[in-house]
Each structure stands twice: as C-alpha cells, then as structure tokens.
Amino acid sequence: MDFAYESLPLFETFQTDRRWPIAPAAPASFTDAVRDFRQFGQPSAELTEGGIPYLINEFWTSGQRQAHSIHEVSYRACFKAQLPAFFIQHLTKPGDAVYDPFMGRGTTPVQAALMGRRPVGNDVNPLSVLLTRPRLTVPSLTEVARRLDQVGWNDADTEDPALLAFYSPQTLRHITALRTWLMERAPIDNTPDPVDDWIRMVAINRLTGHSPGFFSVYTLPPNQAVSAQSQRKINEQRGQTPPDRDVKKIILKKSTSLMSDGPVPRHPAAILTTSPAQATPAIQSASVSLVVTSPPFLDIVQYAEDNWLRSWFAGIDVATVRIAQHRTEMAWQNMVHDTLAELARIVKPGGHVAFEVGEVRGGKVLLERLVWEAAASLPFDRLFVMVNQQAFTKTANCWGVRNNAKGTNTNRIVVLRRRAD
Ligand SMILES: C[S@@+](CC[C@H](N)C(=O)[O-])C[C@H]1O[C@@H](n2cnc3c(N)ncnc32)[C@H](O)[C@@H]1O
C-alpha cells in the first residue's frame, strides 16, 4: 500500500466562527489544499491510497451541535445535517447559494436556510420538494391547528380497501379525506399555501411506522413502506389489527416536535427543481458557491418502491418518476461524470463540491475512487477525499480496502474546487 500514515491527536473540529478564506486561485498542490483545510481541525491521519489523498478525522460528530429539530423527517439514505453544516460553515458566507442536486428529504437546502444561505435543491422525485419546501417557510402551530379544524374528516371519497392492512376503517377514512382535501387545495405542481404544504409534509411522515405516533398499525419505519400484502403477513405474525388513530392529534404533535428548536431564520429565496441532476436548466450558470450532495449508491436503495405509500398520499404517479438504477460501476460512474459536468456549469469559479458516497457491497466497491476518476477531465481541482470517522480507534479501517468491519461509521466525501478556466 502506498500511503504515508501520520498519527496526530484528535482536534476540536466544529468551530463556530471560523470561515474558510476562499483562495483567490486554485491551490498549487495537494499540500496547499491540506494546509487550508487544516484550519478546520487537524486531520488525525493523512494518507495516499491508490493515488488519492485522504484526510481522516472526526471533523464533526453527531453529538456535537445537535441538528435542528426541523430536520427530523425520515428518508432512506439521508445524511445527517452535521455534514452539510460543516461545509456550509467553512466554505460559504451568508447569502451564498448552496445546492444539492440529489436532495432527498432536503437536508442540504434546509441546513442552508438555517444558516442564512440561499437554499437550492433538486431531486428527480417530486416527493423531495414536498418534504423540503414546507420546512423553508414554516407556519405557526396555531395556523396549523386552525387549518386542521377546517378539514371535513369524514368526507372521504372511495377508500382503497388494500390500505386496511395498515389502517383501521376510521383512520383510513380520515387519511383519505385529508388526502382529497389537500389535492384539491394544494395540487403538487402549484406553489401552495404554506400551511397546507406543511400539513401534507407532516402527514407524509406519519403514514406508517412502528409506534402509536404514526397513523398505521406496527410496520417498518416510515421511509420503507412494505406492500399491503407483506403488511397482512406482518399483521398475522404479530396477531395485530390496525387500531384507530387520531390523525389530527398526531399531525399536531409531530409539528410541535419539528418546530421545537425555534423558527427557521430569514434566508434568500429558495430554488427547488425536479430534473435529472445531469440536466438542470432552471439553475443558472456560475450561481452556486457550494454543492453538498450524496447520489444514489449503485442500485442499493429502491427509492420509488420504498416511497409508494407516500407517493399515493401526495398524488405522485411513481411510474412517471425516472429514478434510474445503476447496476454496474461503469453505468454509475457515467451518471456521476454527467452530474459533475453539470455542476461545473453551475458552480462559481473558486466554489466547492463536497460529494459524499457510502460504503457499499461490504467495502469491496470504493465509490469515492469512481467519483475521483469521473472528475478527472472536468474543470475541477480534485482536492482530497475527506473521511469523517466517528471513532478514532477505527482509523486503521477507514479507507475501505479492508473495511469489512461492521459498525464502522464513516462518511467519505470527495472534495473538489471549481477552477477559473
Ligand atoms: C442518497 S439519496 C439523497 C439523500 C439526501 N442527501 C438527504 O439527506 O436526504 C439520493 C437521492 O437521489 C435521487 N435521485 C436518483 N436519481 C436521480 C437523478 N438522476 N437526478 C436527481 N435525483 C436523483 C433519489 O430520488 C434520492 O432522493
């Protein structure tokens, strides 16, 4: 292995007031870039593996600076808010645009708004806009309560009997009434009233889950809805019948919890779109200072299937959502290349891209290498792969070649800087 390993003490990393001084020109070398990034906290290890420089440290922790309660919306393969917060804090200033082309539940744009930056987000699935937009314009709890009082809770149109696997007849009637009411008042392709938009977002998050805080009987977590047939089997195995739930009370309780850390401060107007990340004409060239993103990892997560019930509630036809699955590494790398080419158009010279990838297939596929190679021909300086490692003692495992250890919890982030050419 051709790496130089240096063991350095852990360092206080998440400093509040420090800002990344945007270098006037691209760094002459990796050494310069590392020196710049050391201002954020000294890496506990630096190494070069397969020709790629890695910086390894506990740059942020989940415990440090708890994420704002407004983030508590579940979504498959979402990252923690601490990740975008770290890069936003150090690489941008208030008013700058921060973008995620694969925004999922919207962790990056929501965190950007919390930090007074312009939130810019895209996801090919319109469900992402429904999860993100309401948390950028949060109504008051009183407005939500008043609006819920206006719903005709028993005015349900035809109910889908298959859904009785999840809900009692009365709960299903109330959910269906709310769905119809929202579809009439707040069609998904319009800009709706923020109170209606909020209620839909919360309801989407309470449809199914494993506690009485959800509308359903016990089932899988809310971001992974099983089919009605599988749910009937779960019911049989557990000897359970869906109980009546108070839909309005559950929505209010979750709203209270989401808002418990206080309001989202004023921020520049958001831009949210639903294009493939590779072609986003609604986002202007050279308009973004920082991208923090995490693409789908090969074909690991079935976003459309996992979200079928949420899509039903929102009125999204999943068959029309073009979420591509990339079974081969080459197909995935091509998608990443095309996305980075689009980001080269959108990111300002001197701006950054932090591109997070997960560990897949037991560490046998190192996605960060595929990203590194995909960026080679594009107008980016490839700075390094930053590895945020939760426990220092696991450092020896973190670059993945032998990283089959269960429980090793790392984020690997390819960090790029847009060149001026
Ligand atoms: C790993 S998740 C992102 C999660 C996000 N970081 C968060 O914190 O919620 C990947 C997202 O990419 C979206 N997606 C898949 N293919 C896409 C494409 N070609 N263009 C845009 N979005 C896509 C999926 O719908 C999914 O929401």
Side-chain angles (χ1 to χ4, degrees):
M1 250 190 265
D2 60 335
F3 63 80
Y5 179 85
E6 210 186 332
S7 181
L8 297 166
L10 272 179
F11 201 81
E12 166 59 33
T13 52
F14 204 118
Q15 296 143 357
T16 40
D17 298 317
R18 222 163 201 177
R19 272 213 40 241
W20 167 256
I22 302 279
S29 66
F30 168 62
T31 318
D32 289 348
V34 172
R35 198 166 40 237
D36 290 348
F37 266 75
R38 275 205 174 124
Q39 295 174 74
F40 307 161
Q42 204 148 7
S44 53
E46 295 171 25
L47 55 92
T48 302
E49 169 68 30
I52 301 175
Y54 284 77
L55 299 187
I56 301 149
N57 197 352
E58 194 167 24
F59 289 97
W60 63 88
T61 68
S62 313
Q64 244 169 356
R65 315 203 125 233
Q66 283 293 327
H68 192 285
S69 58
I70 199 86
H71 284 294
E72 290 301 317
V73 160
S74 64
Y75 195 78
R76 277 310 289 286
C78 61
F79 46 48
K80 292 195 162 76
Q82 286 87 344
L83 191 158
F86 176 86
F87 290 98
I88 294 169
Q89 178 79 37
H90 294 302
L91 296 173
T92 67
K93 58 184 186 316
D96 284 349
V98 178
Y99 174 48
D100 187 345
F102 302 100
M103 70 175 164
R105 66 173 180 167
T107 316
T108 294
V110 169
Q111 187 61 34
L114 285 167
M115 296 170 81
R117 275 63 168 175
R118 181 186 299 285
V120 187
N122 173 75
D123 197 292
V124 74
N125 191 347
L127 183 64
S128 287
V129 172
L130 300 185
L131 296 177
T132 306
R133 186 175 56 200
R135 291 179 295 138
L136 301 174
T137 317
V138 182
S140 73
L141 210 50
T142 318
E143 287 173 303
V144 176
R146 281 207 193 111
R147 190 63 53 86
L148 285 170
D149 282 340
Q150 294 171 16
V151 179
W153 290 103
N154 289 308
D155 300 345
D157 55 10
T158 325
E159 294 149 25
D160 181 347
L163 295 179
L164 292 170
F166 298 94
Y167 308 113
S168 75
Q170 179 189 292
T171 308
L172 180 57
R173 189 160 62 251
H174 292 177
I175 294 170
T176 309
L178 179 63
R179 174 179 185 263
T180 311
W181 189 80
L182 285 170
M183 291 205 342
E184 278 165 14
R185 288 176 60 96
I188 55 169
D189 39 7
N190 283 5
T191 305
D193 176 279
V195 186
D196 294 335
D197 214 18
W198 176 271
I199 290 171
R200 175 167 47 207
M201 182 271 296
V202 177
I204 286 173
N205 277 284
R206 297 289 98 186
L207 285 173
T208 50
H210 42 278
S211 77
F214 295 93
F215 305 155
S216 71
V217 69
Y218 178 96
T219 180
L220 291 194
N223 51 17
Q224 249 178 301
V226 295
S227 66
Q229 197 185 2
S230 303
Q231 185 58 37
R232 279 194 293 275
K233 282 199 192 122
I234 295 175
N235 294 350
E236 268 166 38
Q237 278 159 8
R238 295 175 59 91
Q240 62 182 19
T241 309
D244 286 344
R245 303 278 200 220
D246 188 333
V247 171
K248 183 176 144 192
K249 200 163 150 194
I250 290 173
I251 292 175
L252 274 175
K253 190 165 177 218
K254 179 65 181 172
S255 299
T256 308
S257 153
L258 282 164
M259 296 175 192
S260 60
D261 281 347
V264 175
R266 281 175 69 84
H267 55 81
I271 302 169
L272 300 178
T273 65
T274 56
S275 300
Q278 301 90 320
T280 49
I283 303 172
Q284 280 182 10
S285 300
S287 61
V288 158
S289 299
L290 171 67
V291 171
V292 187
T293 195
S294 171
F297 306 145
L298 298 172
D299 55 355
I300 306 290
V301 177
Q302 311 296 318
Y303 291 97
E305 280 171 32
D306 286 346
N307 285 313
W308 73 270
L309 196 50
R310 292 173 155 200
S311 300
W312 164 79
F313 184 82
I316 295 169
D317 177 1
V318 276
T320 63
V321 180
R322 288 169 297 146
I323 302 180
Q325 295 287 330
H326 304 96
R327 290 201 166 74
T328 66
E329 289 172 39
M330 192 190 278
W332 188 82
Q333 193 176 38
N334 286 340
M335 180 275 291
V336 170
H337 174 275
D338 294 350
T339 301
L340 289 175
E342 178 69 341
L343 295 181
R345 178 185 73 76
I346 291 169
V347 175
K348 291 177 178 174
H352 292 81
V353 175
F355 203 95
E356 195 255 351
V357 291
E359 291 181 21
V360 295
R361 302 192 175 147
K364 290 197 188 92
V365 180
L366 295 179
L367 294 179
E368 71 268 24
R369 284 198 190 162
L370 302 180
V371 177
W372 191 262
E373 287 165 17
S377 60
L378 297 168
F380 287 111
D381 285 317
R382 295 177 295 172
L383 301 185
F384 39 75
V385 174
M386 187 183 259
V387 180
N388 186 56
Q389 176 135 316
Q390 298 290 322
F392 180 59
T393 49
K394 290 178 183 159
T395 299
N397 278 331
C398 73
W399 50 93
V401 179
R402 299 160 309 186
N403 188 10
N404 297 323
K406 285 252 182 308
T408 304
N409 186 7
T410 62
N411 299 105
R412 292 136 187 281
I413 301 133
V414 180
V415 183
L416 309 171
R417 183 183 288 155
R418 178 70 168 88
R419 281 201 297 267
D421 51 308

